[in-house]
Amino acid sequence: MNQEIRVKLAEIIFQNEDNGYTVAVGETDDLQCTVVGTLPAAVKGRMFALRGKWKVHPTYGEQFAFTEYEEIMPETTDGIVDFLASGVLKGVGPKMAHAIVSHFGDSTLSVIEESPDRLTEVAGIGPKKAQAIAEAFAVHREFAEVSLFLQRFDISPAYAMKLYRRYGAMTLQLLKENPYQMIADIRGIGFKKADAIAAKLGIDKNDSFRIESGIKYMLSYYVSEGHTYAEKATLLENTANLLEVSWELIEDALTKLTFDGSIQMEVLEGQEVVYLMPYYKAERNVCAKLAYIADARPKMIDIDMDAMISVMEAKRGIELSEKQKRAITAAVANSVCIITGGPGTGKTTIINAIIDGMTKGGLNVAIAAPTGRAAKRITETSGYYASTIHRLLEYAYSEEEEFLKFERNAENPLDYDAVIIDEASMIDLLLMNALVNAIKPGTRLVLVGDADQLPSVGAGNVLRDLIDSEFLYAEKLTEIFRQAGTSMIVVNAHNINRGEYPQCNTRDSDFFLMRCENENMILATIKDLVVRRLPAYYEGIEPKDIQVLTPVRKRTLGCINLNAELQAVINPPNPKLKEKQFGGRLLREGDKVMQIKNNYQMEWKEYSDYNVAVNNGTGVFNGDMGVVTMIDMVTRTLRVMFDDNRSVDYQFSQLDELEHAYAVTVHKSQGSEYPAVIITLLRTPEPLMIRNILYTAVTRAKKCVVIVGSKDVFYRMIDNEQIEKRNSSLDMCITELVNARK
């Protein structure tokens, strides 16, 4: 049960200006204590009623950790002087504070609030100064009222600050009229939080604002599942169940949202569907822009491609197939070209040859990939610099507008003759939209990827849709390079993709199936493989190089529990390693972690071998992996060194953006390669019992794959050729465009 203490802030030890987290010394009549919590109004000399609990910190001793606060306005003249002199009112220092209180006594605050023109009675204060003091005091009181009001609804002071910055003096009125407006205006506040506030405020469940917000929330849920639209009938049913309102009211709200431009309703193949407007516009724009780029004539280059390919074959000691040669030539000859194929089919070699041919022909070439790990791999294998697509497009994030934009766009296109994108299966619809917007006609666009892998984490099925439309030149590679053919990982990946059972546990193999029929046995086997067996068998492989993959997040063999189990054996407790508990996770120095959401504002630094910062920037992305290198309990920061040598400091309040990464879901592993991969398979939910999840997992490994689990589950996944169904209409949009041209 929470306690309340009333303190005067005697000293501010630490304060995070972004989120208001504060460590301070508070004084009561009887004691002096350390108080910790979110207190954006923390200024030495001010008084607060704090509600929370006494806790004992292992390093800093007893503290009062508060979750709610309320400012206590001073009543004595000394207290009023301290309050005014604290800096809360801009332009009022200690000298002026004494002068004001000397003149008005204990009525000072009433005068400032109710009769501010009387402040001119004090020497040195004119009408403008009096007005400024009154306005500053009003803002202070307004924010205090807003923050106190929102605490009743479990909205933190940090979000109270965001709301007040957005709405100002109208904050409480707007929230009482339509709390659902927060969803659109304040990132981090979702429908369920707004709906809970609305219920406490007594807003009727049939309120139009509520129904419209519920529809948008449900459509956003479909987007989070990868869909760009929802079938109308399904949307109606699910929204009605969520809101407990009639279909008729939802139909009325859909009509209104259509007229105000929030959604788009269409008929696809005889079925009514509903889009959030940004996804509808993005699909149409990608279709139109690609047609525009494909129609343009690319800059001609003077190079004998056949001779260049022959030189490359001799230099690398390889012999390309006719398909591979055709793919290289097509990439140079066409405005837009898609090259797809599985592992070992030479995609990397083809990328290198395309880059060589284009650069030798005098073209200015950009190479990019959706993730930092994939971009780094291209740089290492090709010798040419590759960036993420976000950096290629020069992303920028407006904190005030909470909006991501790209500096490279239709008005300011990329200044390249050719753009090559690897791992194109990972490109979602909105990123593809930004990319095609920034490519000017006459630029070659080459998309390289494996269309049989899982689709992008974000909404859309871009690569598959582009291939299925048959509008753009596409070359599918099927032959395995001679060198790759010696790897059972590559051979078995192709077997799985064809629905054939792979060869496991052969002599000198790199592909193993270890049959275990219960969770505890699987768990014990995985830990033994990671800590002992694989590092002993493969020279140069350490536990940190081994990636455990699982189809699921929850359950005993989901990544949440696996991470806790693996942390205990790979990076166990150690007096020399600092720790930080956050939610259900215990983060420890040396832990392998992953960023789980895009944070475009997060600052990073890149260090040389001599620990000197040589580069800096902003942006950490979903799927970036690294290691915790430092935890500082004083500054309340945790440092992560990511795989591409970027170092990032997280405030403790930001640790919800990190998860352990000893084990990750197959979806999260996309675009990455690991020396060794362990795949868990047992009692997988039916929607995940599909071939391309297994195929994607297997293709993440370079040296070794070990499947631990049920042989029956393994075979059932191979037999199930269904792919993860997504509602996307890019292919239909392109087909419609092609038919209109005929």
Side-chain angles (χ1 to χ4, degrees):
M1 184 174 178
N2 279 353
Q3 294 176 258
E4 179 177 293
I5 62 172
R6 297 188 167 217
V7 300
K8 178 180 179 180
L9 299 186
E11 183 182 355
I12 309 300
I13 299 172
F14 172 79
Q15 183 172 42
N16 184 318
E17 293 183 2
D18 292 332
N19 58 31
Y21 181 84
T22 302
V23 179
V25 175
E27 293 179 340
T28 71
D29 293 337
D30 304 319
L31 58 85
Q32 188 177 75
C33 61
T34 301
V35 297
V36 295
T38 302
L39 188 62
V43 177
K44 182 179 177 180
R46 290 166 67 180
M47 298 182 64
F48 295 91
L50 306 177
R51 288 176 283 278
K53 295 179 180 179
W54 290 100
K55 295 182 178 180
V56 178
H57 190 279
T59 304
Y60 303 105
E62 190 174 46
Q63 300 175 334
F64 188 77
F66 62 91
T67 54
E68 297 179 15
Y69 73 90
E70 180 178 357
E71 185 172 11
I72 301 171
M73 298 307 291
E75 297 177 353
T76 67
T77 54
D78 287 344
I80 296 171
V81 169
D82 287 343
F83 172 76
L84 296 180
S86 68
V88 66
L89 304 182
K90 191 175 180 181
V92 178
K95 185 177 180 180
M96 184 171 287
H98 278 284
I100 294 172
V101 176
S102 294
H103 189 78
F104 296 111
D106 55 15
S107 301
T108 297
L109 298 183
S110 297
V111 169
I112 294 174
E113 186 170 19
E114 299 168 9
S115 308
D117 54 307
R118 288 194 59 201
L119 288 171
T120 57
E121 297 172 15
V122 179
I125 298 180
K128 287 186 178 179
K129 184 73 171 179
Q131 183 180 358
I133 292 172
E135 289 174 354
F137 186 72
V139 167
H140 175 79
R141 297 284 285 180
E142 283 168 2
F143 176 71
E145 185 181 357
V146 167
S147 185
L148 185 62
F149 174 81
L150 293 175
Q151 285 180 41
R152 294 161 43 198
F153 305 104
D154 298 322
I155 291 183
S156 70
Y159 278 108
M161 277 197 296
K162 289 186 177 184
L163 286 163
Y164 188 74
R165 286 171 184 164
R166 178 82 183 193
Y167 304 134
M170 299 296 292
T171 301
L172 295 183
Q173 180 182 334
L174 288 172
L175 292 184
K176 290 173 182 177
E177 291 175 357
N178 179 19
Y180 300 98
Q181 187 63 38
M182 290 188 297
I183 302 169
D185 293 343
I186 308 297
R187 186 178 183 183
I189 295 182
F191 174 79
K192 291 186 177 180
K193 173 68 76 175
D195 203 39
I197 293 172
K200 289 181 180 179
L201 290 171
I203 292 176
D204 191 272
K205 70 177 184 179
N206 292 331
D207 182 86
S208 61
F209 288 133
R210 179 174 186 262
I211 297 172
E212 290 166 22
S213 294
I215 291 170
K216 292 177 185 176
Y217 167 75
M218 191 56 65
L219 284 171
S220 296
Y221 170 76
Y222 286 117
V223 166
S224 72
E225 293 291 299
H227 307 294
T228 59
Y229 65 81
E231 295 91 350
K232 183 181 176 182
T234 305
L235 176 66
L236 285 169
E237 180 178 359
N238 290 339
T239 307
N241 291 337
L242 171 72
L243 302 178
E244 298 180 338
V245 299
S246 69
W247 283 35
E248 290 77 15
L249 288 174
I250 300 171
E251 287 265 23
D252 291 343
L254 283 172
T255 301
K256 182 177 181 301
L257 289 171
T258 301
F259 278 113
D260 71 21
S262 297
I263 66 171
Q264 178 72 26
M265 290 198 282
E266 290 284 314
V267 177
L268 296 178
E269 299 179 331
Q271 185 178 49
E272 287 187 288
V273 301
V274 184
Y275 299 80
L276 282 172
M277 187 58 77
Y279 292 88
Y280 176 79
K281 288 184 175 180
E283 279 197 347
R284 268 58 191 169
N285 188 64
V286 168
C287 172
K289 290 283 187 179
L290 280 174
Y292 193 35
I293 296 166
D295 286 344
R297 180 176 295 180
K299 179 181 176 181
M300 300 300 293
I301 62 174
D302 184 17
I303 187 171
D304 186 333
M305 288 301 299
D306 291 335
M308 191 275 294
I309 291 172
S310 296
V311 170
M312 188 199 71
E313 287 179 313
K315 181 179 178 181
R316 296 179 180 268
I318 59 175
E319 184 177 347
L320 297 177
S321 69
E322 287 306 311
K323 272 193 174 184
Q324 290 162 338
K325 292 177 182 177
R326 193 163 63 231
I328 296 167
T329 304
V332 175
N334 288 277
S335 294
V336 183
C337 176
I338 300 171
I339 300 170
T340 181
T345 55
K347 295 193 299 295
T348 299
T349 301
I350 287 172
I351 288 175
N352 295 343
I354 293 169
I355 298 170
D356 285 346
M358 288 182 174
T359 54
K360 287 176 182 176
L363 299 185
N364 186 15
V365 182
I367 310 109
T371 68
R373 290 173 72 91
K376 182 181 179 183
R377 192 169 66 248
I378 299 169
T379 300
E380 291 170 346
T381 57
S382 71
Y384 291 92
Y385 172 74
S387 73
T388 63
I389 299 174
H390 280 81
R391 290 202 173 92
L392 176 69
L393 299 180
E394 299 176 15
Y395 70 90
Y397 187 83
S398 169
E399 184 175 2
E400 289 185 2
E401 299 175 10
E402 296 189 332
F403 177 75
L404 176 69
K405 66 176 182 177
F406 295 97
E407 299 296 339
R408 293 293 181 174
N409 48 46
E411 289 72 38
N412 182 31
L414 292 165
D415 191 20
Y416 292 99
D417 301 311
V419 175
I420 301 171
I421 305 294
D422 194 15
E423 295 288 356
S425 64
M426 297 181 66
I427 302 177
D428 62 34
L429 178 63
L430 296 186
L431 186 56
M432 188 65 183
N433 187 47
L435 178 64
V436 296
N437 272 339
I439 294 178
K440 58 187 177 184
T443 302
R444 290 171 173 82
L445 174 62
V446 182
L447 302 174
V448 183
D450 186 349
D452 293 321
Q453 289 187 25
L454 291 170
S456 58
V457 174
N461 202 359
V462 173
L463 185 62
R464 171 61 63 186
D465 281 353
L466 293 181
I467 294 170
D468 289 348
S469 74
E470 299 183 350
F471 173 63
L472 304 169
Y473 182 91
E475 190 71 62
K476 182 168 185 178
L477 308 174
T478 54
E479 296 179 53
I480 301 174
F481 262 162
R482 185 173 66 246
Q483 297 93 327
T486 62
S487 167
M488 292 309 299
I489 296 174
V490 172
V491 172
N492 283 337
H494 286 270
N495 288 339
I496 290 168
N497 203 29
R498 291 191 296 266
E500 301 169 6
Y501 299 152
Q503 302 175 49
C504 306
N505 307 335
T506 58
R507 185 179 178 84
D508 299 324
S509 179
D510 54 9
F511 195 103
F512 304 92
L513 172 63
M514 301 185 70
R515 298 181 63 177
C516 299
E517 299 299 333
N518 70 71
E519 293 175 338
N520 291 334
M521 186 183 299
I522 291 174
L523 198 54
T525 301
I526 289 171
K527 290 194 280 190
D528 189 39
L529 284 166
V530 171
V531 175
R532 186 179 65 85
R533 295 175 66 175
L534 288 180
Y537 189 79
Y538 287 96
E539 184 178 353
I541 287 185
E542 301 177 15
K544 65 180 177 64
D545 300 319
I546 302 167
Q547 187 61 57
V548 178
L549 301 181
T550 173
V552 296
R553 282 186 55 79
K554 298 181 180 178
R555 305 184 176 192
T556 302
L557 298 178
C559 62
I560 295 173
N561 184 63
L562 282 171
N563 273 314
E565 296 281 351
L566 290 168
Q567 181 195 37
V569 295
I570 296 174
N571 190 34
N574 185 324
K576 296 180 180 179
L577 300 176
K578 294 177 184 175
E579 301 175 343
K580 170 58 183 173
Q581 185 79 38
F582 187 87
R585 300 189 295 278
L586 180 66
L587 293 165
R588 181 177 296 129
E589 291 175 340
D591 273 344
K592 184 178 179 181
V593 293
M594 173 185 280
Q595 175 80 10
I596 60 171
K597 61 176 73 171
N598 290 335
N599 187 327
Y600 304 104
Q601 303 169 85
M602 186 74 80
E603 296 181 356
W604 54 263
K605 292 182 180 179
E606 188 175 344
Y607 291 91
S608 69
D609 294 338
Y610 302 100
N611 202 31
V612 176
V614 294
N615 197 7
N616 64 80
T618 59
V620 185
F621 298 94
N622 188 356
D624 287 352
M625 294 178 72
V627 174
V628 178
T629 58
M630 181 272 290
I631 296 175
D632 189 324
M633 303 304 293
V634 175
T635 61
R636 298 182 62 82
T637 57
L638 178 148
R639 180 170 296 166
V640 175
M641 179 64 76
F642 286 99
D643 289 345
D644 54 4
N645 208 33
R646 288 174 301 139
S647 181
V648 176
D649 287 351
Y650 291 78
Q651 298 294 329
F652 283 175
S653 60
Q654 298 173 302
L655 295 185
D656 61 336
E657 299 187 14
L658 290 174
E659 283 186 354
H660 287 107
Y662 300 107
V664 300
T665 63
V666 178
H667 281 81
K668 284 286 189 182
S669 73
Q670 287 175 263
S672 299
E673 280 188 350
Y674 313 99
V677 165
I678 299 172
I679 304 168
T680 70
L681 293 181
L682 185 68
R683 282 178 254 170
T684 305
E686 285 300 321
L688 300 175
M689 293 279 290
I690 55 179
R691 184 186 299 167
N692 68 339
I693 283 184
L694 181 60
Y695 172 74
T696 300
V698 167
T699 55
R700 299 306 90 208
K702 291 191 286 187
K703 291 185 178 180
C704 170
V705 167
V706 184
I707 296 171
V708 184
S710 165
K711 185 177 181 179
D712 290 341
V713 171
F714 183 40
Y715 283 179
R716 282 177 63 194
M717 291 182 77
I718 295 170
D719 292 339
N720 188 356
E721 63 180 342
Q722 290 186 354
I723 62 172
E724 185 179 332
K725 185 181 181 302
R726 287 197 166 184
N727 294 338
S728 61
S729 55
L730 183 59
D731 54 342
M732 288 181 268
C733 178
I734 293 174
T735 300
E736 183 182 312
L737 175 66
V738 172
N739 290 336
R741 289 180 165 191
K742 292 178 180 178

